[in-house]
Amino acid sequence: MEQQTQPNPATNINPKATNNHNQPSSWAKKAWRLLSDVRAQSPLIQCITNFVSMDLMANTLLSAGASPAMLHSLEELNDFTPCCRALCINVGTLTPSWLPSMKAAAQLCSQLDTPWVLDPVAVSASGFRLKACMELVELKPAVIRGNGSEIIALSMAFTQPSKVSIVKGTDSIHESVDAVEAAKLLAKSSGAIVAVSGATDIVTDGNQVVGAHNGVALMQKITATGCSVTALIAAFVAVDKIHALDAAVSALAVFGVTGELGMKNAKGPASLRMHLIDALHGLDEAALESHVNITSLS
């Protein structure tokens, strides 16, 4: 979501709707059902995340109707994590002191069959970060969400480790459509649903590939929008963990729609941030159905 680059016309991916499940109206109804369930159930979502993103992630979850908890103390996990409906781990400001908490919380969720979502921010920025993300993937996240460059690097770390190069920064140098095959490989090797943010958000289980075409380019000028949509995915998966792909697609589309609605009143990144949160809080079924743009890409 944070990288709203223009699609690559040379990429051979064509939207198609092959059955009722893939019809836009079907996806809109699914997205509305999931958002309504989040609002009705207010699932507790634990976020072990970076300092930069905590505020927007928490407000995104609150605006969607979920209950955020930004708790990362290792000493509290055994008491608190089992009470959560889902866990979101974001390695943006990763430190050696936080990694044990991330791994312990993920391990607890795996043992309790509680879904958790991984955001491998800047996974290839250092050897330490890459190794940490690989260890976290081994703990079986339900969903992995990153930009094109992050997903390509993480996938390559499992399939072609000798070809992974250290890249500085968090911005993607790849479009989401460039990462489709890498995402499919990562999904198959990890067992997770893999979501790739971009001008078109790509979601795959290794076989099926779905594209969510909502959002506005200015969202990439607001820090932590990608982190926030990962948290929203966790909330959607919390209310329907059996259908994690549908939950991930729906969360990405809903967040993109709120960006489009917020943009109508925004004058720049700061006001878009405010209006995006307001749009998510006030989103109704009619607005969602008229804006959702989800297609099958496989």
Side-chain angles (χ1 to χ4, degrees):
M1 191 68 61
E2 69 271 34
Q3 287 296 317
Q4 297 291 337
T5 54
Q6 293 300 310
N8 182 355
T11 303
N12 185 26
I13 295 183
N14 297 310
K16 50 187 175 179
T18 56
N19 53 50
N20 290 335
H21 176 79
N22 289 318
Q23 295 294 337
S25 60
S26 174
W27 276 111
K29 287 179 172 58
K30 191 183 301 292
W32 176 249
R33 176 182 62 78
L34 287 164
L35 178 59
S36 298
D37 286 348
V38 170
R39 289 171 171 175
Q41 298 176 29
S42 189
L44 180 60
I45 310 299
Q46 181 182 358
C47 300
I48 304 180
T49 188
N50 69 77
F51 297 116
V52 178
S53 69
M54 285 186 184
D55 175 76
L56 188 55
M57 286 177 70
N59 280 298
T60 295
L61 287 169
L62 283 170
S63 297
S67 177
M70 319 317 263
L71 184 147
H72 62 267
S73 171
L74 184 62
E75 290 76 13
E76 294 183 283
L77 297 182
N78 284 332
D79 293 328
F80 188 83
T81 302
C83 300
C84 297
R85 294 278 300 279
L87 166 71
C88 177
I89 294 179
N90 177 302
V91 301
T93 51
L94 182 66
T95 67
S97 61
W98 276 39
L99 183 56
S101 295
M102 294 176 175
K103 293 169 71 173
Q107 185 66 55
L108 270 173
C109 286
S110 295
Q111 293 171 355
L112 297 168
D113 195 29
T114 299
W116 71 277
V117 180
L118 174 64
D119 194 329
V121 180
V123 60
S124 59
S126 70
F128 167 67
R129 185 175 293 263
L130 180 61
K131 182 174 182 290
C133 288
M134 293 180 70
E135 291 173 349
L136 287 166
V137 171
E138 295 291 345
L139 296 174
K140 301 299 181 184
V143 180
I144 301 169
R145 201 270 343 152
N147 62 37
S149 293
E150 290 162 350
I151 296 304
I152 288 172
L154 190 56
S155 178
M156 193 173 292
F158 283 97
T159 58
Q160 303 176 71
S162 63
K163 294 186 178 181
V164 178
S165 58
I166 300 302
V167 178
K168 304 301 180 185
T170 61
D171 292 335
S172 182
I173 60 174
H174 298 92
E175 297 177 4
S176 56
V177 292
D178 298 329
V180 171
E181 291 307 316
K184 291 169 70 175
L185 286 172
L186 180 58
K188 290 177 179 179
S189 63
S190 67
I193 299 301
V194 176
V196 191
S197 293
T200 295
D201 297 320
I202 306 293
V203 184
T204 182
D205 59 3
N207 295 302
Q208 183 182 5
V209 181
V210 180
H213 310 272
N214 292 107
V216 294
L218 195 61
M219 293 172 77
Q220 67 179 297
K221 299 298 184 182
I222 305 170
T223 189
T225 49
C227 305
S228 297
V229 79
T230 304
L232 190 62
I233 289 171
F236 276 43
V237 173
V239 299
D240 193 357
K241 65 182 181 181
I242 302 300
H243 303 103
L245 184 143
D246 292 352
V249 172
S250 297
L252 287 160
V254 165
F255 197 72
V257 167
T258 61
E260 293 172 9
L261 296 174
M263 192 65 203
K264 295 179 180 179
N265 298 307
K267 296 181 179 179
S271 55
L272 176 57
R273 183 185 192 275
M274 176 183 71
H275 289 301
L276 186 153
I277 294 171
D278 285 347
L280 180 55
H281 174 73
L283 187 61
D284 60 31
E285 185 174 8
L288 182 62
E289 186 162 352
S290 65
H291 284 79
V292 161
N293 185 4
I294 299 171
T295 58
S296 172
L297 301 178
S298 60

